[in-house]
Amino acid sequence: MSAEHKEEPDLIIRPATVDDCAAMVPIMAEMELHYFGEDAIDAPLITERLAKWFADSQDTVILLALRADDVLGHAVLAPLFPAGSLRTSWFLKDLYVAAKARDQGIGELLIKACAAETVRRDGSRFDLTVDAGNDGADALYRRLGATDTRKTYLRWDGDNLARLAKS
């Protein structure tokens, strides 16, 4: 499967490049506001962090869903090694579809593109987490064949991360 996918007449899903930074800012700002409300970071900081990500990241992939030059959604895949048989698994860190583009099947197309990217890169599996209470996303993933691994997802952040790092 090629790196660029035509999924419907006017929608393209393809990997993001550094040239997409400016076009990605509006959807990243919308996502920040959706998740963090008044604590969301602003457009200049989003621009700075996207530029840094493109400069620093070699393996992580951002897939964009675009109509013309309008970014309607994205999926972020990160490699995890080792997985089964010392192959790489791919972890969906984030999937977001712009409010104006929801209920058009874009999330499903992004998930399918992530699966295709995993297979293209000889990944052993494709994993994700879903927030408790995000019933719509959970139903989509299960409808597409995802299975519940019954693993617990743990995290260190903020003060707990700083304390652990100092210890």
Side-chain angles (χ1 to χ4, degrees):
M1 187 171 261
S2 71
E4 185 172 300
H5 313 284
K6 279 219 179 259
E7 302 295 351
E8 60 181 59
D10 60 346
L11 184 76
I12 293 174
I13 296 179
R14 65 162 174 77
T17 69
V18 68
D19 295 333
D20 294 311
C21 280
M24 292 171 66
V25 170
I27 195 167
M28 293 295 183
E30 178 184 322
M31 181 184 71
E32 278 286 311
L33 192 58
H34 175 81
Y35 287 115
F36 303 110
E38 64 184 41
D39 293 328
I41 62 174
D42 63 12
L45 188 52
I46 291 168
T47 301
E48 177 185 321
R49 290 189 176 165
L50 280 171
K52 180 175 178 9
W53 180 85
F54 277 106
D56 294 347
S57 294
Q58 303 303 313
D59 295 329
T60 303
V61 176
I62 298 177
L63 297 176
L64 299 178
L66 300 116
R67 258 195 201 105
D69 292 328
D70 193 13
V71 179
L72 300 178
H74 70 260
V76 181
L77 284 171
L80 300 174
F81 181 84
S85 302
L86 284 178
R87 291 168 62 202
T88 301
S89 71
W90 288 84
F91 181 77
L92 179 65
K93 171 55 185 93
D94 190 59
L95 184 137
Y96 188 81
V97 176
K100 68 182 179 187
R102 293 191 186 137
D103 298 321
Q104 297 177 28
I106 293 172
E108 181 172 337
L109 293 172
L110 282 165
I111 290 291
K112 289 177 179 180
C114 288
E117 190 69 16
T118 298
V119 168
R120 187 180 79 72
R121 292 172 179 259
D122 193 35
S124 62
R125 68 180 191 241
F126 165 38
D127 296 325
L128 58 87
T129 61
V130 61
D131 289 336
N134 192 345
D135 298 332
D138 188 70
L140 169 64
Y141 303 147
R142 289 175 190 270
R143 181 173 57 76
L144 293 175
T147 57
D148 188 341
T149 63
R150 294 291 178 204
K151 291 185 178 184
T152 301
Y153 186 77
L154 303 172
R155 169 182 297 156
W156 286 273
D157 62 3
D159 292 341
N160 288 333
L161 176 60
R163 273 192 296 279
L164 181 63
K166 283 183 179 179
S167 66

